[in-house]
């Protein structure tokens, strides 16, 4: 498992270690033929969950990059799970490709075509977790939901503005 940055105290799958109530907003399998329809459905579900503006657009684009990677590098298909916790949205994209354990996330050279999907997902959300499984890879991104006012006795979700993982060195993964 590789956790690049978590803006909260969540576990590796974005789930809080407490008794956080969770709602499944979307759970769908996808292929290359359904990527566009999935993106539109995802955008609608994210808006209905209360995330709007740049934060919503960033999450949709980040997940779209992960879905595209699953199609191109993860066996041609995958599964998307969108969950809503009280203070955040968590989206996991599961594929069944090789997804080597040495997969790193960094911005490729400007003259290199492609290879920016994972890097973009991380930059757009500030949180990307890669979980390597024997049968593929799960890429999870998290977006905090803005609360109108903090709950009594709390300060609301921690901001991740300006927090990023250091770019990796060495070879470029093709994800």
């Amino acid at each position: 498992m590789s956790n690049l940055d978590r803006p909260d105290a969540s576990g590796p799958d974005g789930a809080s270690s407490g008794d956080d109530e969770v709602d499944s907003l979307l759970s769908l399998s996808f292929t290359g033929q359904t990527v566009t329809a999935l993106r539109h459905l995802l955008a609608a579900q994210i808006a209905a969950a209360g995330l709007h503006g740049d934060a919503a657009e960033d999450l949709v684009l980040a997940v779209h990059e992960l879905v595209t990677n699953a199609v191109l590098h993860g066996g041609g298909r995958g599964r998307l799970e969108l969950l809503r916790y009280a203070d955040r949205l968590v989206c996991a994209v599961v594929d069944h490709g090789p997804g080597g354990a040495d997969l790193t996330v960094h911005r490729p050279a400007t003259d290199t075509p492609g290879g920016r999907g994972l890097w973009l997902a991380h930059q757009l959300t500030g949180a990307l977790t890669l979980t390597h499984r024997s049968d593929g890879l799960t890429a999870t991104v998290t977006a905090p939901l803005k609360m109108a006012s903090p709950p009594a006795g709390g300060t609301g979700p921690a901001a991740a503005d300006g927090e990023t993982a250091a770019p990796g060195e060495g070879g470029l993964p093709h994800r």
Side-chain angles (χ1 to χ4, degrees):
M1 179 174 20
S2 170
N3 182 6
L4 298 173
D5 200 6
R6 286 192 313 228
D8 56 32
S10 303
D13 64 351
S16 186
S17 59
D19 293 326
D20 214 2
E21 190 172 319
V22 61
D23 292 316
S24 177
L25 302 180
L26 195 57
S27 181
L28 288 174
S29 295
F30 60 84
T31 65
Q33 292 77 29
T34 62
V35 168
T36 301
L38 180 63
R39 182 175 177 148
H40 293 294
L41 184 56
L42 177 68
Q45 289 296 320
I46 287 171
L51 192 62
H52 302 285
D54 289 344
E57 291 175 20
D58 288 351
L59 182 59
V60 170
L61 179 55
V63 173
H64 180 78
E65 289 294 330
L66 298 176
V67 166
T68 300
N69 277 349
V71 170
L72 295 175
H73 309 291
R77 63 183 62 244
R79 183 156 193 85
L80 181 142
E81 302 283 339
L82 177 65
L83 304 173
R84 183 181 198 277
Y85 292 82
D87 60 349
R88 68 196 175 285
L89 294 176
V90 175
C91 191
V93 176
V94 179
D95 71 38
H96 299 286
D102 62 342
L103 193 60
T104 60
V105 178
H106 58 86
R107 185 172 65 182
T110 56
D111 61 346
T112 302
R116 290 168 176 78
L118 294 176
W119 179 81
L120 279 171
H122 178 251
Q123 293 300 310
L124 290 166
T125 63
L128 171 64
T129 302
L130 302 176
T131 305
H132 302 276
R133 305 178 330 275
S134 61
D135 67 338
L137 179 75
T138 300
T140 306
V141 289
T142 304
L145 289 169
K146 306 295 185 221
M147 296 169 43
S149 61
T155 59
D161 295 335
E163 294 181 9
T164 59
E169 297 290 330
L172 168 69
H174 296 286
R175 275 209 163 230

